[in-house]
Amino acid sequence: MRAIIRFTTLITVLFFFVQAEASAPQPQRKKVGLVLSGGGAKGVAHIGVLKVLEEAGIPIDYIAGNSMGAIVGGLYAIGYSPQALDSLVRTQNWVGLLADKITRDNLLFTEKEVRDKALFTIPFDRERFHISTGILSGSSVMDMLSELARDYHDVASFDSLPIPFACIAYDLISGDEVVMREGSLPVAIRASMSIPGAFSTVERNGQILIDGGVINNFPANVVREMGADIIIGVNVGMHTDRPTQLSKDALEERDPNSLMFIVNHMMERLGRENFDKNILLPDLYIHPNTEPYSTVSFTDEALDTLLARGEREARASWDNILAFKELIGIHPAEDLPWPPGRPNGADVPIGDSIKLGYIIFDGITSLNEKNLRRMLHFKEFSTVHVTDIRETISRLKGTGSFTSLQYSLREEGGRYNLRFHCTERARSAVSLGVRLDTRDVASGFINTIVAPRELKGGMFELNSRISTNPYVRLGIFYQDAWLGKFGASYTYRYGNINMCPQNDTTTYNVRFHKNSMDLDLANFYYRNFNFYFGLHYENFRSQNFLRSSNGVTERIRVRENLFSYHLGVRFDSYDNAFFPTSGIQFKAESALYTDDLAHYKEDAPFLATNASISVAIPIKNRFTLIPTLYARFLFGNEFAPHLRNLVGGTFGGHYLEHQMPLYGFKSLVSVDNKFVATGLKARYRAGKNHYVWLVGNIARISNSVLELIEWSKGQYMAGAALGYSYDSPLGPIDVVLEYGGAPSSRFGVFINLGKYF
């Protein structure tokens, strides 16, 4: 009996002991802070480190980042996995994203016409010229961040994110470091990466913000203040070692004359004191080798290498990582649940569809909001795909009406209110271009628009070319970016050209003066499509124009006063004006010419009809074919001498509006009334911006449409060219060797630098 009592007592004591042990407070693990430095493209190495940290089961409780570290850290904090970030980096077109390039097919015709000729455009108003605070606006990066972080456009505190987050910027007004922990997550990240001079500044809460790397590129002190007990620091910045090994000797870099060299080293010097303090704080320090890459190494090869090096460096520190895990208070073999914000191991925290609520436009003062809404391909209280919003933003930017256009999404009642934040561009602007070539020697392009807001769409325009064949056009218009451009203009054109007859080897110099007036009665635009109708008056004078008839060439004096009616359509979806890889260019126009509004030379008026089409066909990644067909027909009993068909030169409309190009003929050739030509251009991209190409063209000429069909009649013209081109920031650089199959034009060399206008 006593044995039973002893056993029962022992069991009871053990039970209460186990219960007391179970109910006793367990030691809590330490809170882990992660610091991700700035470093531009080098910052993608952070993603490789995150992969290994997750594999080792390291929990992250706080994140502080700067610049690219803010992008990686911010997206990781809201639930993007390292695998999703890796995919994002590899599939993103970083060059196009950072350059803020609006695809050409999203530009309105009015914008294409200026951008295809001008090197740059400077908007202005009565107070000042509006010059950007950075080479790049960063608007495309902002669009990307807004899309990826759409649930975090208005956050009371970043501590409420799945992982609390902070990023750093520098306020130019106060000169203070700004730690951003609330508000719009995309705006905060964008401000943190505003490299001085490279990206435009960000205005936030009355502050003018630039890249936090200026003051604190390795914000370990911030993550400590957030509550971290122990810290992991990942550094991809220019500082390469612990401060005991750092010195303040002269820095070395491969290209000391580059802008990024100056900016990077200026930021390093300014932030050196904070860095020297903060580098002492991490308990685990990882520094991937990023040589020889720089902050702007966004090539596919560089990104692949940097992603791999981040992972490789972390794996080389595997033993240190496991020791750090024990320091946290976790057994090295213990597995942890998925990080916050990623239930069930999802890689991406958002879907592709958005349930919209209201659509609001902020900042609209002079533009017509109804027209803005017409450009939206979705309606309020509908479900849209994220690509719909992305394409809408591109179309709105393509109107050229905004200096800044961003959007935010705010959830309300299970739907997202879409708010466009608009800053209208000053409608007045100056656009300038320049070109050097072996024919006109030097040319300049000027387009000036003066459009006071008080005129509500009214504008004055000056468009001119300064060269040996100059023109100047003055106009007064009403322009609506979504409807078109209507008004009247005056143009003066001076010509100094070399011409030759169709069957002659002699070249003649011809000079002329042309004054004209246009009344645009209808000029409608819709993205890549343009329809126009108008009245035209011209006064053409030449003392020595060339006329060829029945094999006889003569110099004649021309004085013509003509009234004409013009009707035409244009379509242009080329992705690049000079080196297209896809798209179509099409134009068709008819003009009825008279000298008294009804007759020409007391007879019936004559009709000029022309059409052209070119298609860019990508064959392979680097190889493109561009077939072309164009024609111009004159119908009537008698024609104005200067409006007869003129062909020659490398691009059309340069000397006279109706001039048609033909490789191999550097002088303009006056040909018969019916002209049709076809060409084929084969272009190969030999390097990033280097092209070699071969083009051949052949033309049929006759005075009768029937003779064009009968191959044994009429005449032929043929030519070819071999060229090398470089797509430079100033426009195409071309070196062309031409051969023409006519006695008047054999071999020729043409060299060009700059955009064609």
Side-chain angles (χ1 to χ4, degrees):
M1 184 68 180
R2 289 180 180 178
I4 294 174
I5 293 172
R6 288 193 192 101
F7 179 77
T8 302
T9 303
L10 178 61
I11 292 299
T12 302
V13 170
L14 288 174
F15 174 77
F16 281 107
F17 177 79
V18 170
Q19 285 292 99
E21 183 74 16
S23 62
Q26 298 295 320
Q28 291 188 342
R29 68 168 180 83
K30 296 177 181 178
K31 297 294 185 180
V32 180
L34 175 64
V35 183
L36 302 177
S37 77
K42 297 183 291 183
V44 303
H46 292 315
I47 299 170
V49 175
L50 285 172
K51 286 183 182 178
V52 179
L53 293 178
E54 280 202 0
E55 185 179 327
I58 302 295
I60 304 297
D61 300 294
Y62 307 99
I63 300 175
N66 184 69
S67 198
M68 183 61 84
I71 296 178
V72 175
L75 294 178
Y76 185 76
I78 62 175
Y80 284 86
S81 72
Q83 290 72 25
L85 294 173
D86 182 293
S87 177
L88 173 67
V89 165
R90 293 179 191 275
T91 57
Q92 187 63 248
N93 178 9
W94 287 97
V95 175
L97 185 78
L98 296 173
D100 292 316
K101 288 186 177 179
I102 302 170
T103 57
R104 188 173 180 274
D105 66 318
N106 277 316
L107 295 175
L108 291 183
F109 259 101
T110 49
E111 286 295 300
K112 289 176 184 175
E113 288 171 342
V114 174
R115 294 195 186 195
D116 290 350
K117 299 174 183 178
L119 282 176
F120 57 87
T121 296
I122 305 176
F124 67 91
D125 55 27
R126 289 179 178 177
E127 287 78 29
R128 63 188 179 94
F129 285 94
H130 295 268
I131 300 176
S132 175
T133 55
I135 298 173
L136 308 172
S137 73
S139 63
S140 296
V141 175
M142 186 64 200
D143 293 341
M144 178 192 74
L145 294 172
S146 296
E147 180 179 312
L148 296 175
R150 68 165 181 255
D151 289 335
Y152 302 93
H153 288 194
D154 186 11
V155 185
S157 172
F158 292 170
D159 288 344
S160 66
L161 270 54
I163 301 175
F165 172 75
C167 57
I168 316 301
Y170 178 78
D171 181 16
L172 290 174
I173 303 299
S174 66
D176 295 331
E177 176 183 347
V178 178
V179 180
M180 293 172 286
R181 298 184 63 181
E182 78 288 323
S184 169
L185 179 62
V187 171
I189 295 174
R190 167 66 182 85
S192 183
M193 55 162 287
S194 298
I195 299 173
F199 287 99
S200 60
T201 57
V202 172
E203 186 173 352
R204 179 181 181 270
N205 299 333
Q207 300 167 317
I208 305 299
L209 303 180
I210 61 172
D211 194 306
V214 170
I215 192 72
N216 192 357
N217 197 44
F218 191 74
N221 62 318
V222 173
V223 82
R224 175 76 79 198
E225 293 167 3
M226 293 171 71
D229 299 311
I230 55 178
I231 297 172
I232 303 170
V234 186
N235 177 29
V236 296
M238 296 186 67
H239 311 282
T240 57
D241 294 298
R242 295 281 185 162
T244 54
Q245 298 173 326
L246 286 169
S247 67
K248 296 192 177 183
D249 297 333
L251 296 168
E252 295 182 0
E253 187 86 355
R254 288 174 299 281
D255 186 6
N257 295 313
S258 71
L259 173 63
M260 293 313 299
F261 171 89
I262 296 170
V263 171
N264 286 337
H265 288 79
M266 176 192 71
M267 292 173 65
E268 178 179 8
R269 290 306 190 193
L270 291 173
R272 187 59 170 267
E273 183 178 351
N274 280 331
F275 178 82
D276 286 349
K277 294 176 182 177
N278 288 338
I279 198 69
L280 299 173
L281 298 180
D283 300 274
L284 174 63
Y285 179 77
I286 299 175
H287 175 65
N289 175 20
T290 59
E291 291 294 329
Y293 301 110
S294 70
T295 54
V296 293
S297 298
F298 283 99
T299 64
D300 292 343
E301 178 186 0
L303 295 175
D304 289 344
T305 302
L306 290 165
L307 286 164
R309 287 188 183 178
E311 183 174 351
R312 185 186 311 150
E313 184 64 28
R315 293 198 182 282
S317 303
W318 184 259
D319 291 341
N320 292 335
I321 293 174
L322 295 183
F324 180 84
K325 189 174 181 180
E326 285 192 274
L327 185 62
I328 298 171
I330 306 172
H331 191 276
E334 184 178 347
D335 290 328
L336 294 177
W338 286 101
R342 269 193 278 153
N344 303 320
D347 285 333
V348 178
I350 60 173
D352 292 331
S353 297
I354 303 172
K355 292 183 177 180
L356 290 182
Y358 293 103
I359 299 174
I360 306 108
F361 286 88
D362 286 340
I364 299 300
T365 57
S366 62
L367 296 175
N368 188 322
E369 186 175 325
K370 289 183 179 179
N371 287 334
L372 285 170
R373 291 182 178 273
R374 289 192 190 106
M375 297 192 70
L376 306 181
H377 287 180
F378 45 81
K379 297 180 179 180
E380 294 180 333
F381 296 95
S382 63
T383 299
V384 300
H385 196 275
V386 290
T387 55
D388 296 328
I389 296 180
R390 192 184 310 157
E391 291 171 359
T392 295
I393 289 287
S394 294
R395 284 196 298 271
L396 290 172
K397 288 181 178 179
T399 65
S401 300
F402 305 97
T403 55
S404 173
L405 178 63
Q406 301 171 6
Y407 74 91
S408 62
L409 293 160
R410 186 170 183 176
E411 188 176 7
E412 183 179 345
R415 291 185 173 272
Y416 289 88
N417 292 332
L418 173 60
R419 186 179 296 270
F420 292 100
H421 306 277
C422 309
T423 302
E424 294 182 7
R425 191 181 84 173
R427 297 182 65 244
S428 300
V430 175
S431 302
L432 301 174
V434 65
R435 191 183 80 250
L436 305 173
D437 66 46
T438 52
R439 291 177 185 168
D440 284 349
V441 185
S443 301
F445 171 77
I446 303 173
N447 180 264
T448 303
I449 295 174
V450 179
R453 293 186 183 274
E454 296 82 1
L455 295 182
K456 300 294 184 181
M459 57 182 285
F460 303 94
E461 183 175 11
L462 166 68
N463 191 321
S464 64
R465 179 177 68 205
I466 304 170
S467 74
T468 54
N469 287 274
Y471 69 79
V472 59
R473 180 178 298 115
L474 297 169
I476 179 169
F477 301 97
Y478 170 81
Q479 180 172 329
D480 186 296
W482 293 269
L483 294 178
K485 186 175 177 181
F486 315 96
S489 62
Y490 162 77
T491 304
Y492 169 74
R493 181 186 289 264
Y494 171 76
N496 180 5
I497 59 178
N498 291 323
M499 290 180 59
C500 64
Q502 183 172 324
N503 298 308
D504 200 340
T505 60
T506 307
T507 299
Y508 302 87
N509 181 258
V510 173
R511 303 190 181 195
F512 63 83
H513 302 269
K514 181 181 177 183
N515 296 274
S516 60
M517 297 187 67
D518 289 276
L519 182 61
D520 296 328
L521 300 177
N523 201 351
F524 299 106
Y525 299 95
Y526 181 76
R527 288 189 64 189
N528 299 319
F529 178 80
N530 173 219
F531 167 81
Y532 58 94
F533 170 72
L535 304 179
H536 175 82
Y537 165 78
E538 66 181 74
N539 168 262
F540 185 92
R541 294 176 291 117
S542 176
Q543 298 294 329
N544 58 351
F545 207 76
L546 193 66
R547 181 171 67 184
S548 180
S549 178
N550 298 321
V552 178
T553 301
E554 57 182 336
R555 309 296 293 273
I556 61 172
R557 180 182 178 185
V558 177
R559 287 185 177 272
E560 291 279 358
N561 290 282
L562 299 175
F563 299 91
S564 55
Y565 310 90
H566 290 252
L567 175 69
V569 294
R570 294 186 296 171
F571 180 84
D572 184 355
S573 63
Y574 267 6
D575 60 347
N576 185 297
F578 305 107
F579 305 101
T581 57
S582 65
I584 298 172
Q585 278 189 343
F586 171 77
K587 179 179 180 180
E589 181 185 76
S590 287
L592 189 68
Y593 288 90
T594 76
D595 56 12
D596 63 359
L597 299 176
H599 307 86
Y600 179 70
K601 303 295 185 185
E602 299 181 350
D603 199 348
F606 66 93
L607 179 69
T609 298
N610 65 82
S612 64
I613 184 170
S614 299
V615 183
I617 305 171
I619 303 301
K620 289 187 177 180
N621 185 36
R622 294 177 176 269
F623 188 65
T624 305
L625 285 179
I626 307 176
T628 302
L629 178 67
Y630 54 102
R632 185 171 186 262
F633 291 175
L634 293 174
F635 299 96
N637 298 323
E638 192 170 356
F639 312 103
H642 68 286
L643 289 174
R644 290 180 177 273
N645 288 330
L646 293 174
V647 299
T650 55
F651 59 103
H654 182 62
Y655 302 108
L656 283 166
E657 291 85 346
H658 62 282
Q659 167 219 337
M660 293 167 286
L662 200 67
Y663 280 100
F665 297 83
K666 49 185 184 293
S667 298
L668 294 190
V669 183
S670 177
V671 298
D672 290 338
N673 302 331
K674 309 296 186 294
F675 174 91
V676 60
T678 185
L680 180 63
K681 187 174 189 176
R683 190 187 66 234
Y684 179 76
R685 181 167 59 85
K688 182 179 180 181
N689 294 310
H690 301 267
Y691 301 87
V692 291
W693 48 271
L694 177 67
V695 61
N697 43 218
I698 185 170
R700 286 269 292 161
I701 310 104
S702 176
N703 280 320
S704 165
V705 175
L706 293 177
E707 287 185 358
L708 289 178
I709 300 173
E710 299 181 35
W711 294 102
S712 60
K713 298 182 179 180
Q715 295 188 358
Y716 292 90
M717 297 176 69
L722 176 66
Y724 160 81
S725 298
Y726 175 72
D727 189 6
S728 80
L730 298 178
I733 299 175
D734 304 307
V735 180
V736 184
L737 177 63
E738 297 180 280
Y739 176 80
S744 60
S745 181
R746 291 298 186 185
F747 286 101
V749 176
F750 175 67
I751 300 174
N752 170 78
L753 166 60
K755 297 182 178 182
Y756 292 93
F757 48 80

